[in-house]
Amino acid sequence: MSRRLLFIFLALLCMLPCFLLSGCQATPENGAVLQAEGFLKDIAETPFTSYEAPARVENEIDTEHLKIVFDAEIIIPEASAYSIVELQQVQYTEEDYRRLMDHFCPGATWIEQPVLTKAQILEHYWNIQSNSRIPEEEKPQYDYLLEDAKAAPETAAPVPFDLSSSLQKQHVFAAWTSADREEASSFSIHPLIYLWNCVRTQDVVIFQENFLDLDFEEDVYKVEDFKTDPEISQEEAVSIARNTIDALAFDPAITLFSAEKAIAYRNHWPVSYGWQCIFTRNYNGLQLQGLFDHHRIWRNSPPPSYAAPWDQEKIMVYVNSEGVDIIEVRGLGKETGVLYENVALLPFDELLTRIEKQLMYQHAYQGEGVTEKKACVTSIEMIGSVIAERGKPGYGLFVPSWRVNYVLSYKKRGTPTVIDDAATIFNAIDGSYIEPRMTERLLGYD
C-alpha cells in the first residue's frame, strides 16, 4: 500500500482504524502470547545496561498455515536509560486557543469560514478542467461543482467568528482572518480531541520527496518538481520550527524526529517549496514514531493489552522561505513525573518468541481459497510508545517498545496479495502486544 497519503496536513478528522476481517476461527492455544493486564505490578528500578541483541536476525518458521521469515535488521538507538514516564493529556481551554490564535495572527479580525460565491466555484471547476496534471478520466468527478455553483450566492459578506459558541458545539470548526494579505490564514480546532492547526496558505497538500509513489501519474510530475531546492536551508527551517515550538512552551521532551524536503501542492501544482519538520516525544534516546500509520486489528488475534490514551502525539511544521506556513499539533501531553528512571527489558530471544507467536495469532488463519501465506519480518526497531494508564483517565505512560515491520503476502484463488506496510508493536518490558496508534475509544476499551 502506498505511503503517499502519510503527510496531509489539512485533514482534521482522526484516522479510523483499518480492520482486516477474515473468517472466524478459534484462537490457537498458545500461552506464549502474553496479554498483560498490569505490567507495572512486578517492575523494579534497575541499573542501566545497554540492550544486547544481534545486528540482524535470519530465520524461518514453516507451519501448515503460515510461514514466518525473519530477514530483519535490528535497530536499537543509543539510549542512556529505559524509563517509564507518566504523562497527562493537554486539554486546551478557550483562553488557550485565544492565545494560540493571537500568537500566529496577532491582532487579526477573525471571521467564519467564507462562503464560496458562484464565481469562485466556477473558477475552481475550470482550473481543474484545464489542469494538465489531473488525468482526463478523473475530471468528470468534479462536475458536482457545476451544481454547487447554481446554488451559490453571487456575493458573500463576512460573518464575525465566535470562539465560545463554536467550542460549545464540540465539532471541528475553523476561523479565518479577514483578507489583510493576499490569502487569509485559518485556525482549525477539533475540540473533542484537542487537535488544532494554523494554515497560512489554503487548499494545499504537503508532499515529502521520500514518499512519492511512481505508480501514480501525478507523482511522476512531482519527481521533476523536487529537483528544485527550497530557498531556505534545512538548518534554517528546523531552527524556525524549533523556535516556534519553544515559544509555545511545549514539553521540552518533544524533539525533532525528521526534517524532509517538501512541497506545498494545490491541484497537483507547486505553490511553495520548503521543509516538513516533525517533532515527537523523546526520552533518553527512545522516540515516538512520527508517521501516520495504518491501524490494523486482526480478527483472529486477542486484542492488544494496552491502547493509546489519546491521539498519537506529534507536531508537524511546514516551513518555507516566508516562515511557518502550516503547523498542526495533535495528541499533546505534558510530563507529570518519571515513575522509573530505568527498567529491565525482556531478553531478545524471548522477544523473538513473542513476535513469532503473535504473528501466528494474527495470520495463521487461512480463509477459503487462501494459499502460500507468509509474513516476512524486515526490521525490529526499539522505539518509545505512549499507552493508557489503567484506572487514570487522561493519563498515559511513555514506555520502551518494539516496532516489528513485516510484509504479509498470500494468494487467494491464485491471485497474489501483498501488504507491505504491516507493523505490530510490543511492550519492550514484558513483550505484550500493544497498540499505541489507536485510542482506547477506537478499540472499545472505554
Side-chain angles (χ1 to χ4, degrees):
M1 185 176 291
S2 168
R3 297 178 297 172
R4 68 194 300 270
L5 296 181
L6 294 181
F7 287 90
I8 296 178
F9 265 112
L10 302 182
L12 274 174
L13 295 178
C14 293
M15 296 179 67
L16 295 177
C18 177
F19 292 89
L20 297 194
L21 304 180
S22 56
C24 294
Q25 167 183 279
T27 301
E29 292 291 338
N30 200 321
V33 175
L34 187 64
Q35 292 298 302
E37 290 301 320
F39 71 97
L40 293 174
K41 288 180 181 178
D42 303 318
I43 210 164
E45 192 85 42
T46 62
F48 173 75
T49 56
S50 296
Y51 190 81
E52 294 186 5
R56 191 168 193 85
V57 171
E58 296 178 359
N59 188 29
E60 291 188 9
I61 301 99
D62 205 349
T63 70
E64 179 183 358
H65 301 295
L66 177 68
K67 183 176 184 178
I68 301 176
V69 177
F70 286 90
D71 187 11
E73 178 186 9
I74 311 305
I75 305 169
I76 303 177
E78 290 189 17
S80 57
Y82 303 127
S83 302
I84 299 177
V85 183
E86 184 183 63
L87 307 174
Q88 184 178 12
Q89 184 184 24
V90 172
Q91 300 185 1
Y92 297 99
T93 64
E94 180 178 333
E95 186 57 37
D96 291 331
Y97 287 126
R98 292 191 187 280
R99 175 178 56 83
L100 291 167
M101 293 166 73
D102 190 59
H103 176 87
F104 290 104
C105 302
T109 299
W110 294 95
I111 61 173
E112 296 282 353
Q113 182 169 347
V115 175
L116 292 177
T117 65
K118 186 187 302 291
Q120 289 172 322
I121 295 174
L122 289 175
E123 180 183 16
H124 180 46
Y125 173 80
W126 289 114
N127 283 340
I128 291 172
Q129 298 307 310
S130 60
N131 192 329
S132 60
R133 289 194 174 187
I134 298 178
E136 290 299 320
E137 61 271 17
E138 292 184 12
K139 291 179 180 180
Q141 66 184 276
Y142 296 98
D143 288 349
Y144 72 89
L145 292 170
L146 296 175
E147 294 300 315
D148 290 350
K150 292 178 182 178
E154 296 289 346
T155 60
V159 176
F161 175 74
D162 186 337
L163 178 60
S164 299
S165 175
S166 297
L167 286 171
Q168 290 173 8
K169 297 174 184 176
Q170 296 193 329
H171 56 65
V172 181
F173 61 86
W176 296 63
T177 60
S178 57
D180 52 1
R181 58 192 290 265
E182 187 174 340
E183 276 195 273
S185 297
S186 66
F187 192 94
S188 302
I189 298 173
H190 193 324
L192 291 179
I193 59 174
Y194 304 103
L195 183 157
W196 60 267
N197 70 20
C198 185
V199 178
R200 298 195 185 282
T201 303
Q202 305 301 322
D203 302 323
V204 296
V205 175
I206 307 300
F207 277 86
Q208 289 186 196
E209 182 177 20
N210 57 332
F211 287 130
L212 296 181
D213 189 335
L214 299 186
D215 288 337
F216 291 87
E217 180 181 336
E218 56 266 32
D219 278 14
V220 175
Y221 294 114
K222 294 182 177 69
V223 171
E224 291 299 311
D225 297 334
F226 274 97
K227 292 180 180 178
T228 299
D229 290 325
E231 294 179 8
I232 184 173
S233 70
Q234 182 188 53
E235 183 180 8
E236 291 172 314
V238 169
S239 177
I240 290 172
R242 179 74 258 179
N243 289 340
T244 299
I245 289 175
D246 290 344
L248 295 173
F250 291 154
D251 199 317
I254 296 174
T255 64
L256 183 69
F257 176 81
S258 63
E260 302 288 345
K261 183 189 290 189
I263 299 177
Y265 281 92
R266 182 184 292 135
N267 291 333
H268 306 299
W269 287 93
V271 175
S272 69
Y273 298 82
W275 298 89
Q276 176 89 298
C277 304
I278 297 180
F279 295 81
T280 65
R281 188 169 296 273
N282 183 329
Y283 285 112
N284 308 310
L286 298 188
Q287 189 159 14
L288 298 181
Q289 298 294 286
L291 301 176
F292 288 108
D293 267 345
H294 299 287
H295 305 152
R296 294 186 174 97
I297 298 299
W298 308 91
R299 173 179 287 181
N300 297 301
S301 170
S305 300
Y306 286 85
W310 50 77
D311 258 22
Q312 212 175 1
E313 182 181 60
K314 61 175 66 69
I315 300 172
M316 300 171 288
V317 188
Y318 172 67
V319 181
N320 59 25
S321 60
E322 296 184 8
V324 174
D325 195 53
I326 303 174
I327 179 171
E328 179 171 300
V329 177
R330 60 173 65 210
L332 201 62
K334 60 181 178 181
E335 180 183 324
T336 60
V338 178
L339 302 187
Y340 297 91
E341 291 287 350
N342 186 78
V343 296
L345 305 184
L346 189 72
F348 190 74
D349 58 345
E350 294 183 39
L351 172 69
L352 289 179
T353 300
R354 300 285 189 223
I355 295 171
E356 174 192 340
K357 301 307 178 183
Q358 184 63 38
L359 292 180
M360 289 295 296
Y361 262 99
Q362 293 177 177
H363 305 303
Y365 174 77
Q366 293 188 4
E368 184 179 351
V370 173
T371 59
E372 300 180 32
K373 204 168 194 182
K374 180 171 71 172
C376 183
V377 178
T378 56
S379 67
I380 303 173
E381 181 178 5
M382 187 183 291
I383 61 172
S385 294
V386 175
I387 58 177
E389 186 172 4
R390 293 276 165 80
K392 272 186 105 170
Y395 287 80
L397 300 174
F398 179 99
V399 297
S401 56
W402 292 97
R403 178 187 171 96
V404 178
N405 298 299
Y406 62 99
V407 177
L408 180 66
S409 61
Y410 57 89
K411 289 183 179 179
K412 186 163 186 178
R413 296 184 176 87
T415 301
T417 295
V418 177
I419 300 172
D420 62 4
D421 60 352
T424 298
I425 299 176
F426 298 81
N427 187 332
I429 299 167
D430 62 3
S432 57
Y433 164 43
I434 60 175
E435 187 43 272
R437 298 165 296 181
M438 294 179 67
T439 64
E440 291 191 306
R441 177 180 58 83
L442 287 176
L443 280 173
Y445 283 15
D446 62 350

